[in-house]
Amino acid sequence: MADRVRIYEVGPRDGLQNEARAIPVAEKLALIEALAATGLDRIEIGSFVSPKWVPQMAGTDEIVAAVPRVAGLRYGLLVPNVTGFERYLAAVPEGFDGEIAVFVSATEGFSRANLNASIDESFERVGDVVARAVEVGVPVRGYVSCVVRCPFDGDVAPGQVASVVERLRELAPMEVSLGDTIGAGVPETVGAMLEAVLDVAPAEVLAGHFHDTGGRALANIEVSLEAGLRVFDAAVGGLGGCPYAPGAPGNVATEAVVARLAELGFETGVDEDLLAEAAALARRIKMGVVA
Ligand code: HMG
Ligand code: MG
């Protein structure tokens, strides 16, 4: 049997959060419906962050209430603090298959820009969220940003990333996604970072989250596969960017990742034709030409 790789689709969240046009909820729902039909089993559909910070994600409550429910498909929602977690709990309908994602940075500069908090302060907030989520039985995922380079602090030492991964996993045994937020990584730097992180967490609990700014995301996925990682975040149509990371457009495109994985002999369970339709819709949304 072929080795299985999970794609964690982040297009509706990471992909759209940075778009200047206020994208109507109906368009986001159409994209999520198209993605839900492809066989993906994880889709991140929005954020319960401050709407003052990320106006594009303001309609997340409505989206959560209306997304199609598909057996085996779990929806992810980004949550920065307990206020966001309470919004999650209030928004999810009965029986919703959901999980939250908490996020921290490996660097002080990005932590301040993205969360208005130092790394230590952000861990206090995230610790409160994780404790609440564990208490009520909501699964948690974690993100670490700037695992290779920070737009404010420059190159990041691999040990700094490992220490943040370790701190997250002390909160709860969560999957941790390693974010090359500004797409600055190359196989050498990503490989060195992974070596340090693998000292504190096994490959089974790690995911790769590569923005493709430098055009090396697929190569970075390959080096991560060699290190044993089997979960990769990607955004349909290559949508993406973080509003608080200057120069961070473009998550790696899901369709490119799925195609490369198939070439390498990995199974993803994603239908490439249906994914191509979702990618076409993503591009129309980006261009603002949805009928
Ligand atoms: P703050 O301004 O320090 O927060 O922001 P605050 O607690 O002082 O609150 C300020 C106001 O926001 C208050 O309202 C709060 O009630 C409200 P006011 O009294 O002024 O009317 N507020 C909220 N409203 C709704 N939902 C909430 C919430 N929290 C506070 N959850 C905060 C701190 C963390 C809230 C802010 O910095 C924030 O929302 N940051 C999120 C930024 C973000 O979403 N960035 C993009 C996602 S991360 C990413 O893309 C990276 C990733 O893809 C991996 C990678 O690529 O590296 C994951
Ligand atoms: Mg990202």
Short mmCIF file of all heavy atoms in Angstrom, two decimals, residues 12-77:
data_model
loop_
_atom_site.label_atom_id
_atom_site.label_comp_id
_atom_site.label_asym_id
_atom_site.label_seq_id
_atom_site.Cartn_x
_atom_site.Cartn_y
_atom_site.Cartn_z
N PRO A 12 -9.29 28.60 2.59
CA PRO A 12 -10.34 29.53 3.03
C PRO A 12 -9.91 30.41 4.20
O PRO A 12 -10.53 31.45 4.45
CB PRO A 12 -11.47 28.57 3.47
CG PRO A 12 -11.21 27.30 2.71
CD PRO A 12 -9.71 27.20 2.61
N ARG A 13 -8.86 30.04 4.92
CA ARG A 13 -8.36 30.86 6.03
C ARG A 13 -7.07 31.58 5.65
O ARG A 13 -7.08 32.76 5.34
CB ARG A 13 -8.16 29.97 7.28
CG ARG A 13 -7.98 30.74 8.58
CD ARG A 13 -6.61 31.31 8.81
NE ARG A 13 -5.56 30.29 8.80
CZ ARG A 13 -4.26 30.57 8.81
NH1 ARG A 13 -3.85 31.83 8.84
NH2 ARG A 13 -3.34 29.62 8.78
N ASP A 14 -5.97 30.87 5.58
CA ASP A 14 -4.68 31.52 5.28
C ASP A 14 -4.74 32.12 3.87
O ASP A 14 -4.16 33.18 3.61
CB ASP A 14 -3.55 30.47 5.36
CG ASP A 14 -2.21 31.09 5.70
OD1 ASP A 14 -2.11 32.32 5.79
OD2 ASP A 14 -1.24 30.32 5.87
N GLY A 15 -5.45 31.43 2.99
CA GLY A 15 -5.53 31.88 1.60
C GLY A 15 -6.27 33.19 1.44
O GLY A 15 -5.87 34.04 0.64
N LEU A 16 -7.34 33.35 2.18
CA LEU A 16 -8.21 34.52 1.94
C LEU A 16 -8.01 35.65 2.94
O LEU A 16 -8.44 36.77 2.69
CB LEU A 16 -9.68 34.08 1.94
CG LEU A 16 -10.09 33.12 0.81
CD1 LEU A 16 -11.59 32.81 0.91
CD2 LEU A 16 -9.77 33.69 -0.58
N GLN A 17 -7.35 35.38 4.08
CA GLN A 17 -7.32 36.37 5.16
C GLN A 17 -6.67 37.70 4.76
O GLN A 17 -6.94 38.74 5.35
CB GLN A 17 -6.61 35.80 6.39
CG GLN A 17 -5.13 35.57 6.22
CD GLN A 17 -4.46 34.89 7.42
OE1 GLN A 17 -5.12 34.51 8.36
NE2 GLN A 17 -3.15 34.75 7.37
N ASN A 18 -5.83 37.63 3.73
CA ASN A 18 -5.06 38.80 3.33
C ASN A 18 -5.65 39.53 2.13
O ASN A 18 -5.08 40.51 1.66
CB ASN A 18 -3.64 38.33 2.98
CG ASN A 18 -2.61 39.41 3.14
OD1 ASN A 18 -2.81 40.35 3.90
ND2 ASN A 18 -1.51 39.29 2.41
N GLU A 19 -6.77 39.04 1.61
CA GLU A 19 -7.35 39.67 0.41
C GLU A 19 -7.92 41.05 0.76
O GLU A 19 -8.61 41.20 1.78
CB GLU A 19 -8.46 38.78 -0.17
CG GLU A 19 -7.93 37.54 -0.86
CD GLU A 19 -7.03 37.87 -2.05
OE1 GLU A 19 -7.46 38.66 -2.91
OE2 GLU A 19 -5.90 37.37 -2.09
N ALA A 20 -7.68 42.01 -0.11
CA ALA A 20 -8.13 43.37 0.16
C ALA A 20 -9.65 43.49 -0.01
O ALA A 20 -10.32 44.18 0.75
CB ALA A 20 -7.42 44.34 -0.77
N ARG A 21 -10.21 42.80 -1.03
CA ARG A 21 -11.66 42.88 -1.26
C ARG A 21 -12.40 42.12 -0.15
O ARG A 21 -11.98 41.02 0.22
CB ARG A 21 -11.96 42.22 -2.62
CG ARG A 21 -13.44 42.14 -2.96
CD ARG A 21 -13.65 41.57 -4.36
NE ARG A 21 -13.43 40.13 -4.45
CZ ARG A 21 -14.41 39.22 -4.46
NH1 ARG A 21 -15.67 39.60 -4.38
NH2 ARG A 21 -14.12 37.94 -4.57
N ALA A 22 -13.46 42.68 0.37
CA ALA A 22 -14.28 41.97 1.37
C ALA A 22 -15.03 40.87 0.63
O ALA A 22 -15.98 41.13 -0.11
CB ALA A 22 -15.23 42.93 2.04
N ILE A 23 -14.58 39.64 0.81
CA ILE A 23 -15.18 38.53 0.05
C ILE A 23 -16.47 38.10 0.74
O ILE A 23 -16.47 37.79 1.93
CB ILE A 23 -14.17 37.37 -0.04
CG1 ILE A 23 -12.93 37.85 -0.80
CG2 ILE A 23 -14.80 36.15 -0.74
CD1 ILE A 23 -11.74 36.93 -0.67
N PRO A 24 -17.58 38.08 -0.03
CA PRO A 24 -18.86 37.71 0.59
C PRO A 24 -18.82 36.29 1.15
O PRO A 24 -18.15 35.40 0.59
CB PRO A 24 -19.86 37.79 -0.57
CG PRO A 24 -19.19 38.61 -1.62
CD PRO A 24 -17.71 38.42 -1.45
N VAL A 25 -19.55 36.08 2.24
CA VAL A 25 -19.63 34.76 2.88
C VAL A 25 -20.05 33.71 1.84
O VAL A 25 -19.54 32.59 1.84
CB VAL A 25 -20.60 34.82 4.08
CG1 VAL A 25 -21.02 33.43 4.52
CG2 VAL A 25 -19.94 35.56 5.23
N ALA A 26 -20.98 34.07 0.95
CA ALA A 26 -21.47 33.09 -0.05
C ALA A 26 -20.32 32.57 -0.92
O ALA A 26 -20.29 31.39 -1.28
CB ALA A 26 -22.55 33.73 -0.91
N GLU A 27 -19.38 33.45 -1.27
CA GLU A 27 -18.25 33.02 -2.10
C GLU A 27 -17.34 32.08 -1.31
O GLU A 27 -16.84 31.08 -1.83
CB GLU A 27 -17.45 34.22 -2.62
CG GLU A 27 -18.21 35.02 -3.66
CD GLU A 27 -17.41 36.19 -4.21
OE1 GLU A 27 -16.15 36.14 -4.21
OE2 GLU A 27 -18.04 37.17 -4.66
N LYS A 28 -17.12 32.41 -0.06
CA LYS A 28 -16.27 31.54 0.79
C LYS A 28 -16.93 30.18 0.95
O LYS A 28 -16.27 29.14 0.90
CB LYS A 28 -16.05 32.19 2.16
CG LYS A 28 -15.22 33.46 2.09
CD LYS A 28 -15.06 34.08 3.47
CE LYS A 28 -14.28 35.37 3.39
NZ LYS A 28 -14.27 36.11 4.66
N LEU A 29 -18.25 30.20 1.15
CA LEU A 29 -18.96 28.92 1.31
C LEU A 29 -18.89 28.09 0.04
O LEU A 29 -18.73 26.87 0.10
CB LEU A 29 -20.42 29.19 1.70
CG LEU A 29 -20.65 29.49 3.18
CD1 LEU A 29 -22.10 29.93 3.41
CD2 LEU A 29 -20.32 28.28 4.06
N ALA A 30 -18.99 28.75 -1.10
CA ALA A 30 -18.91 28.01 -2.37
C ALA A 30 -17.54 27.34 -2.49
O ALA A 30 -17.42 26.18 -2.94
CB ALA A 30 -19.16 28.96 -3.54
N LEU A 31 -16.50 28.06 -2.08
CA LEU A 31 -15.15 27.48 -2.13
C LEU A 31 -15.03 26.29 -1.18
O LEU A 31 -14.48 25.24 -1.53
CB LEU A 31 -14.10 28.56 -1.79
CG LEU A 31 -12.65 28.09 -1.84
CD1 LEU A 31 -12.24 27.65 -3.25
CD2 LEU A 31 -11.69 29.18 -1.35
N ILE A 32 -15.55 26.46 0.03
CA ILE A 32 -15.47 25.37 1.02
C ILE A 32 -16.27 24.16 0.53
O ILE A 32 -15.81 23.02 0.65
CB ILE A 32 -15.96 25.87 2.40
CG1 ILE A 32 -14.99 26.93 2.94
CG2 ILE A 32 -16.08 24.70 3.39
CD1 ILE A 32 -15.55 27.78 4.08
N GLU A 33 -17.43 24.41 -0.09
CA GLU A 33 -18.22 23.29 -0.64
C GLU A 33 -17.44 22.56 -1.72
O GLU A 33 -17.42 21.33 -1.77
CB GLU A 33 -19.55 23.81 -1.21
CG GLU A 33 -20.60 23.98 -0.14
CD GLU A 33 -21.77 24.85 -0.59
OE1 GLU A 33 -22.06 24.93 -1.80
OE2 GLU A 33 -22.40 25.45 0.31
N ALA A 34 -16.78 23.32 -2.60
CA ALA A 34 -15.99 22.70 -3.67
C ALA A 34 -14.85 21.87 -3.07
O ALA A 34 -14.57 20.75 -3.53
CB ALA A 34 -15.45 23.77 -4.61
N LEU A 35 -14.23 22.38 -2.03
CA LEU A 35 -13.12 21.66 -1.39
C LEU A 35 -13.63 20.42 -0.64
O LEU A 35 -12.98 19.37 -0.66
CB LEU A 35 -12.39 22.59 -0.41
CG LEU A 35 -11.54 23.69 -1.05
CD1 LEU A 35 -11.17 24.74 -0.01
CD2 LEU A 35 -10.30 23.10 -1.70
N ALA A 36 -14.79 20.57 -0.02
CA ALA A 36 -15.34 19.45 0.78
C ALA A 36 -15.67 18.25 -0.11
O ALA A 36 -15.74 17.12 0.37
CB ALA A 36 -16.58 19.92 1.53
N ALA A 37 -15.86 18.52 -1.41
CA ALA A 37 -16.21 17.44 -2.34
C ALA A 37 -14.99 16.69 -2.87
O ALA A 37 -15.12 15.68 -3.56
CB ALA A 37 -17.01 18.02 -3.51
N THR A 38 -13.79 17.19 -2.57
CA THR A 38 -12.59 16.62 -3.21
C THR A 38 -12.01 15.40 -2.50
O THR A 38 -11.10 14.75 -3.02
CB THR A 38 -11.44 17.67 -3.25
OG1 THR A 38 -11.09 17.98 -1.89
CG2 THR A 38 -11.84 18.93 -4.00
N GLY A 39 -12.50 15.12 -1.29
CA GLY A 39 -11.90 14.01 -0.52
C GLY A 39 -10.94 14.49 0.56
O GLY A 39 -10.41 13.67 1.31
N LEU A 40 -10.72 15.80 0.64
CA LEU A 40 -9.90 16.34 1.74
C LEU A 40 -10.56 15.98 3.08
O LEU A 40 -11.78 16.00 3.19
CB LEU A 40 -9.82 17.86 1.65
CG LEU A 40 -8.89 18.45 0.59
CD1 LEU A 40 -9.29 19.90 0.29
CD2 LEU A 40 -7.44 18.39 1.07
N ASP A 41 -9.74 15.68 4.11
CA ASP A 41 -10.37 15.39 5.40
C ASP A 41 -10.09 16.45 6.47
O ASP A 41 -10.55 16.32 7.61
CB ASP A 41 -10.04 13.98 5.89
CG ASP A 41 -8.56 13.78 6.16
OD1 ASP A 41 -7.79 14.76 6.02
OD2 ASP A 41 -8.17 12.66 6.52
N ARG A 42 -9.35 17.50 6.11
CA ARG A 42 -9.14 18.63 7.01
C ARG A 42 -9.19 19.92 6.18
O ARG A 42 -8.43 20.05 5.21
CB ARG A 42 -7.76 18.57 7.68
CG ARG A 42 -7.55 17.43 8.65
CD ARG A 42 -8.31 17.65 9.95
NE ARG A 42 -7.96 16.68 10.96
CZ ARG A 42 -8.40 15.43 10.99
NH1 ARG A 42 -9.21 14.98 10.06
NH2 ARG A 42 -8.03 14.61 11.96
N ILE A 43 -10.04 20.83 6.56
CA ILE A 43 -10.09 22.14 5.88
C ILE A 43 -10.20 23.22 6.95
O ILE A 43 -11.09 23.17 7.81
CB ILE A 43 -11.31 22.25 4.93
CG1 ILE A 43 -11.35 21.08 3.93
CG2 ILE A 43 -11.26 23.59 4.18
CD1 ILE A 43 -12.58 21.09 3.01
N GLU A 44 -9.28 24.17 6.89
CA GLU A 44 -9.35 25.31 7.83
C GLU A 44 -10.23 26.37 7.19
O GLU A 44 -9.95 26.83 6.08
CB GLU A 44 -7.93 25.84 8.07
CG GLU A 44 -7.82 26.66 9.33
CD GLU A 44 -6.37 26.90 9.68
OE1 GLU A 44 -5.68 27.63 8.93
OE2 GLU A 44 -5.89 26.35 10.68
N ILE A 45 -11.31 26.75 7.87
CA ILE A 45 -12.33 27.55 7.21
C ILE A 45 -12.45 28.98 7.72
O ILE A 45 -13.24 29.75 7.18
CB ILE A 45 -13.71 26.86 7.31
CG1 ILE A 45 -14.07 26.56 8.77
CG2 ILE A 45 -13.73 25.58 6.46
CD1 ILE A 45 -15.50 26.05 8.95
N GLY A 46 -11.68 29.34 8.73
CA GLY A 46 -11.77 30.72 9.19
C GLY A 46 -11.03 30.94 10.49
O GLY A 46 -10.31 30.06 10.97
N SER A 47 -11.18 32.14 11.03
CA SER A 47 -10.48 32.53 12.27
C SER A 47 -11.42 33.28 13.18
O SER A 47 -12.14 34.18 12.73
CB SER A 47 -9.34 33.52 11.99
OG SER A 47 -8.48 33.07 11.00
N PHE A 48 -11.32 32.98 14.46
CA PHE A 48 -12.02 33.77 15.47
C PHE A 48 -11.03 34.73 16.10
O PHE A 48 -10.83 34.75 17.31
CB PHE A 48 -12.67 32.86 16.50
CG PHE A 48 -13.83 32.10 15.93
CD1 PHE A 48 -13.78 30.72 15.78
CD2 PHE A 48 -14.99 32.77 15.54
CE1 PHE A 48 -14.86 30.02 15.25
CE2 PHE A 48 -16.08 32.08 15.01
CZ PHE A 48 -16.00 30.70 14.86
N VAL A 49 -10.35 35.49 15.23
CA VAL A 49 -9.41 36.51 15.70
C VAL A 49 -10.16 37.83 15.78
O VAL A 49 -11.35 37.91 15.45
CB VAL A 49 -8.18 36.61 14.75
CG1 VAL A 49 -7.41 35.31 14.75
CG2 VAL A 49 -8.59 36.99 13.33
N SER A 50 -9.46 38.87 16.22
CA SER A 50 -10.12 40.16 16.31
C SER A 50 -10.45 40.67 14.90
O SER A 50 -9.56 40.78 14.05
CB SER A 50 -9.21 41.16 17.02
OG SER A 50 -9.71 42.46 16.81
N PRO A 51 -11.71 41.01 14.64
CA PRO A 51 -12.08 41.53 13.31
C PRO A 51 -11.42 42.87 13.00
O PRO A 51 -11.31 43.26 11.84
CB PRO A 51 -13.61 41.64 13.35
CG PRO A 51 -13.98 41.58 14.79
CD PRO A 51 -12.87 40.89 15.53
N LYS A 52 -10.94 43.55 14.08
CA LYS A 52 -10.21 44.80 13.84
C LYS A 52 -8.84 44.49 13.23
O LYS A 52 -8.29 45.26 12.47
CB LYS A 52 -10.03 45.57 15.15
CG LYS A 52 -11.32 46.15 15.64
CD LYS A 52 -11.10 46.95 16.93
CE LYS A 52 -12.44 47.36 17.50
NZ LYS A 52 -12.49 47.28 18.95
N TRP A 53 -8.30 43.35 13.63
CA TRP A 53 -6.98 42.96 13.13
C TRP A 53 -7.07 42.32 11.74
O TRP A 53 -6.22 42.56 10.89
CB TRP A 53 -6.30 42.00 14.11
CG TRP A 53 -5.70 42.71 15.30
CD1 TRP A 53 -6.39 43.39 16.27
CD2 TRP A 53 -4.31 42.83 15.63
NE1 TRP A 53 -5.51 43.91 17.18
CE2 TRP A 53 -4.22 43.58 16.83
CE3 TRP A 53 -3.13 42.36 15.06
CZ2 TRP A 53 -3.01 43.88 17.44
CZ3 TRP A 53 -1.92 42.65 15.66
CH2 TRP A 53 -1.87 43.40 16.84
N VAL A 54 -8.06 41.47 11.56
CA VAL A 54 -8.21 40.77 10.27
C VAL A 54 -9.69 40.83 9.84
O VAL A 54 -10.46 39.91 10.06
CB VAL A 54 -7.73 39.29 10.35
CG1 VAL A 54 -7.73 38.65 8.98
CG2 VAL A 54 -6.33 39.21 10.95
N PRO A 55 -10.06 41.95 9.22
CA PRO A 55 -11.48 42.16 8.86
C PRO A 55 -12.02 41.05 7.95
O PRO A 55 -13.19 40.71 8.02
CB PRO A 55 -11.46 43.50 8.12
CG PRO A 55 -10.17 44.16 8.49
CD PRO A 55 -9.20 43.11 8.88
N GLN A 56 -11.16 40.49 7.11
CA GLN A 56 -11.62 39.47 6.15
C GLN A 56 -12.23 38.25 6.85
O GLN A 56 -13.05 37.55 6.28
CB GLN A 56 -10.42 39.04 5.29
CG GLN A 56 -10.74 38.16 4.14
CD GLN A 56 -11.64 38.81 3.10
OE1 GLN A 56 -12.83 38.55 3.06
NE2 GLN A 56 -11.06 39.65 2.26
N MET A 57 -11.82 37.98 8.08
CA MET A 57 -12.31 36.77 8.77
C MET A 57 -13.52 37.06 9.66
O MET A 57 -13.97 36.20 10.41
CB MET A 57 -11.17 36.16 9.62
CG MET A 57 -10.03 35.58 8.79
SD MET A 57 -10.49 34.04 7.94
CE MET A 57 -10.50 34.55 6.22
N ALA A 58 -14.08 38.27 9.54
CA ALA A 58 -15.18 38.66 10.43
C ALA A 58 -16.41 37.76 10.30
O ALA A 58 -17.15 37.58 11.25
CB ALA A 58 -15.56 40.11 10.16
N GLY A 59 -16.64 37.19 9.13
CA GLY A 59 -17.86 36.38 8.93
C GLY A 59 -17.72 34.92 9.31
O GLY A 59 -18.56 34.09 8.94
N THR A 60 -16.68 34.59 10.05
CA THR A 60 -16.40 33.17 10.34
C THR A 60 -17.57 32.48 11.07
O THR A 60 -17.87 31.33 10.78
CB THR A 60 -15.08 33.05 11.13
OG1 THR A 60 -14.01 33.47 10.27
CG2 THR A 60 -14.82 31.63 11.59
N ASP A 61 -18.26 33.21 11.96
CA ASP A 61 -19.39 32.61 12.67
C ASP A 61 -20.44 32.09 11.68
O ASP A 61 -20.94 30.97 11.82
CB ASP A 61 -20.05 33.64 13.60
CG ASP A 61 -19.04 34.37 14.47
OD1 ASP A 61 -18.21 35.13 13.91
OD2 ASP A 61 -19.05 34.19 15.69
N GLU A 62 -20.75 32.91 10.67
CA GLU A 62 -21.75 32.51 9.66
C GLU A 62 -21.28 31.32 8.85
O GLU A 62 -22.07 30.44 8.49
CB GLU A 62 -21.98 33.66 8.67
CG GLU A 62 -22.85 34.78 9.14
CD GLU A 62 -22.85 35.91 8.10
OE1 GLU A 62 -23.51 35.78 7.07
OE2 GLU A 62 -22.12 36.89 8.35
N ILE A 63 -20.00 31.29 8.57
CA ILE A 63 -19.45 30.19 7.77
C ILE A 63 -19.55 28.87 8.53
O ILE A 63 -20.01 27.85 7.99
CB ILE A 63 -17.99 30.52 7.36
CG1 ILE A 63 -18.03 31.61 6.31
CG2 ILE A 63 -17.25 29.28 6.85
CD1 ILE A 63 -16.72 32.24 6.00
N VAL A 64 -19.17 28.92 9.79
CA VAL A 64 -19.22 27.70 10.62
C VAL A 64 -20.64 27.13 10.66
O VAL A 64 -20.85 25.92 10.61
CB VAL A 64 -18.70 28.02 12.03
CG1 VAL A 64 -19.06 26.94 13.02
CG2 VAL A 64 -17.19 28.24 12.00
N ALA A 65 -21.62 28.03 10.70
CA ALA A 65 -23.01 27.58 10.81
C ALA A 65 -23.51 26.95 9.51
O ALA A 65 -24.46 26.17 9.53
CB ALA A 65 -23.90 28.76 11.19
N ALA A 66 -22.86 27.26 8.38
CA ALA A 66 -23.45 26.88 7.09
C ALA A 66 -22.64 25.87 6.27
O ALA A 66 -23.12 25.41 5.24
CB ALA A 66 -23.66 28.15 6.26
N VAL A 67 -21.44 25.51 6.71
CA VAL A 67 -20.63 24.61 5.87
C VAL A 67 -21.26 23.21 5.77
O VAL A 67 -21.94 22.77 6.69
CB VAL A 67 -19.17 24.45 6.40
CG1 VAL A 67 -18.36 25.68 6.09
CG2 VAL A 67 -19.15 24.11 7.87
N PRO A 68 -21.04 22.54 4.63
CA PRO A 68 -21.59 21.19 4.49
C PRO A 68 -20.95 20.23 5.48
O PRO A 68 -19.75 20.34 5.75
CB PRO A 68 -21.23 20.80 3.06
CG PRO A 68 -20.08 21.66 2.68
CD PRO A 68 -20.23 22.93 3.45
N ARG A 69 -21.73 19.33 6.03
CA ARG A 69 -21.20 18.34 6.97
C ARG A 69 -20.95 17.07 6.19
O ARG A 69 -21.86 16.49 5.60
CB ARG A 69 -22.21 18.12 8.09
CG ARG A 69 -22.70 19.46 8.70
CD ARG A 69 -21.76 19.98 9.76
NE ARG A 69 -22.05 19.29 11.01
CZ ARG A 69 -23.00 19.67 11.85
NH1 ARG A 69 -23.72 20.74 11.60
NH2 ARG A 69 -23.22 18.99 12.95
N VAL A 70 -19.71 16.66 6.16
CA VAL A 70 -19.30 15.49 5.39
C VAL A 70 -18.64 14.50 6.35
O VAL A 70 -17.75 14.90 7.13
CB VAL A 70 -18.28 15.90 4.28
CG1 VAL A 70 -17.77 14.68 3.51
CG2 VAL A 70 -18.88 16.93 3.34
N ALA A 71 -19.05 13.24 6.30
CA ALA A 71 -18.47 12.24 7.21
C ALA A 71 -16.96 12.17 7.01
O ALA A 71 -16.48 12.11 5.87
CB ALA A 71 -19.10 10.87 6.95
N GLY A 72 -16.21 12.23 8.09
CA GLY A 72 -14.75 12.11 8.01
C GLY A 72 -14.04 13.42 7.74
O GLY A 72 -12.81 13.47 7.74
N LEU A 73 -14.79 14.48 7.47
CA LEU A 73 -14.17 15.79 7.21
C LEU A 73 -14.27 16.68 8.45
O LEU A 73 -15.35 16.95 8.95
CB LEU A 73 -14.88 16.48 6.02
CG LEU A 73 -14.56 17.96 5.81
CD1 LEU A 73 -13.06 18.19 5.57
CD2 LEU A 73 -15.35 18.50 4.61
N ARG A 74 -13.10 17.10 8.92
CA ARG A 74 -13.06 17.96 10.10
C ARG A 74 -12.64 19.37 9.69
O ARG A 74 -11.73 19.56 8.89
CB ARG A 74 -12.05 17.39 11.11
CG ARG A 74 -11.86 18.29 12.31
CD ARG A 74 -10.99 17.64 13.35
NE ARG A 74 -11.70 16.54 14.00
CZ ARG A 74 -11.16 15.72 14.89
NH1 ARG A 74 -9.88 15.87 15.22
NH2 ARG A 74 -11.87 14.76 15.44
N TYR A 75 -13.33 20.35 10.27
CA TYR A 75 -13.03 21.75 9.97
C TYR A 75 -12.17 22.38 11.06
O TYR A 75 -12.44 22.18 12.26
CB TYR A 75 -14.32 22.55 9.83
CG TYR A 75 -15.14 22.19 8.60
CD1 TYR A 75 -16.42 21.65 8.72
CD2 TYR A 75 -14.63 22.38 7.32
CE1 TYR A 75 -17.17 21.33 7.59
CE2 TYR A 75 -15.37 22.07 6.18
CZ TYR A 75 -16.65 21.55 6.33
OH TYR A 75 -17.38 21.24 5.22
N GLY A 76 -11.19 23.16 10.64
CA GLY A 76 -10.31 23.84 11.58
C GLY A 76 -10.62 25.33 11.64
O GLY A 76 -11.00 25.95 10.64
N LEU A 77 -10.46 25.88 12.84
CA LEU A 77 -10.69 27.32 13.06
C LEU A 77 -9.55 27.87 13.90
O LEU A 77 -9.23 27.30 14.95
CB LEU A 77 -11.99 27.52 13.84
CG LEU A 77 -13.36 27.46 13.15
CD1 LEU A 77 -13.43 28.32 11.89
CD2 LEU A 77 -13.77 26.05 12.85
#
